[in-house]
Amino acid sequence: MGTEKRNSKFTMLGMSCSGKTCYIAGMYMKMSTGVNGFTLVAEDDVRMKLEREIRALRRYSVGIERFPQLTYSNLDAVRNYKFRMCYNLKEIVSFEMQDYSGGSLTRRDEVYLEVKRSIVDSTALYVFVDGKSFCSNDREERKENVYYDCAMTLCPMIQDFADAHNGVLPPIIFVVTKADLCKKYVNAQEIVSVIKEFFRPAFSENTTSYICAVSLGETISDDDYKGKLSPFNVHIPFFIGCYHEYYNRYAILKHDVDKANNNLIARRINLEADIDAENRRWRIFRNKALIEEYRERISVANNDINFNRSLLKESKDMLIRFGVHLEHEKENFFYFKDGRQIEFREFQI
């Protein structure tokens, strides 16, 4: 018995130039060499593409030209990034992230339909809010920018998902990009207030949501975008998605283990009763071979029970490692349960 080896899916919702492609490059840059024993591994073609983009991002002298090109609006341009999350060399989660043309969400083309299909299968939704929308000295203009640049198109997609799933949403992670730009105009409290106002479905009852600001570098936009590449917070949204995926797998495994072990325990009790009944017979009529067979079956059942428990403990320990890491990072993101902002604590298991 064990967790099923399958590819998980994280869907990224974001308009053109919101920073989805740059986020993936920065996240891979941070995670490919490991964080607290967790390492991100990409397939060869994805790895080569991301390494090219990271090298380009380090070309400070070219300024704005260092950033990845836009994802153009055709189905061939949909980019699937397949990753494996490993802990101390052992694969623990495999998943894919999908990048696409943000403009397709307004054109309702084939890419838009592909995105909607992807959402259905996703463990978590990532909603990218372009930090540049907050770059205004006027508060009302900042709000209007977020609405027209992002919320007007993306919030209905969240509601569509809920409508198709009996009002249930997966965890939603709001990724505010280009924090290096918007921090000059807005504080964290205003960002939270605006996102909650324009994405109300994600903060309803029975929802789990996060808000995290990220950047490719605190000074990367300085001197006509010739600042240093130094990603910060980019790994946190990724960790949150993996945490929820692993929690889902743990919950499934626990259900299966409890069911299997209950059956094994019932079988063991019946076998013990059969041995007791056999031992109560006169010795001359007692079937020693049958007693030994029952004892062997009990031994096998005990071994299976212990094996299942060890699998569950291993999965629980890994889930706790995810949770402990996020607790350590909790000052760098906001966590919401049923729309209320609370302090992050690892799930009680």
Side-chain angles (χ1 to χ4, degrees), residues 320-331:
I320 290 172
R321 289 189 183 98
F322 274 112
V324 167
H325 178 83
L326 286 175
E327 278 198 276
H328 179 71
E329 299 268 17
K330 64 186 177 184
E331 293 184 356

Side-chain angles (χ1 to χ4, degrees), residues 85-139:
M85 176 71 133
C86 299
Y87 183 80
N88 289 344
L89 303 179
K90 180 181 179 182
E91 179 182 332
I92 53 176
V93 176
S94 58
F95 66 97
E96 68 179 55
M97 300 184 79
Q98 189 178 76
D99 192 13
Y100 54 88
S101 167
S104 297
L105 301 186
T106 58
R107 285 186 289 270
R108 304 296 197 270
D109 58 12
E110 289 182 86
V111 177
Y112 172 78
L113 298 177
E114 177 69 17
V115 172
K116 292 197 72 172
R117 286 191 291 267
S118 177
I119 290 174
V120 173
D121 300 325
S122 292
T123 299
L125 297 182
Y126 289 83
V127 177
F128 283 75
V129 180
D130 190 343
K132 202 169 183 178
S133 298
F134 289 101
C135 293
S136 169
N137 289 318
D138 184 271
R139 179 182 174 86

Side-chain angles (χ1 to χ4, degrees), residues 16 32 49 92 100 111 134 136 139 244 253 269 312:
S16 293
S32 62
K49 176 185 180 302
I92 53 176
Y100 54 88
V111 177
F134 289 101
S136 169
R139 179 182 174 86
H244 281 278
L253 179 62
I269 291 172
L312 190 61

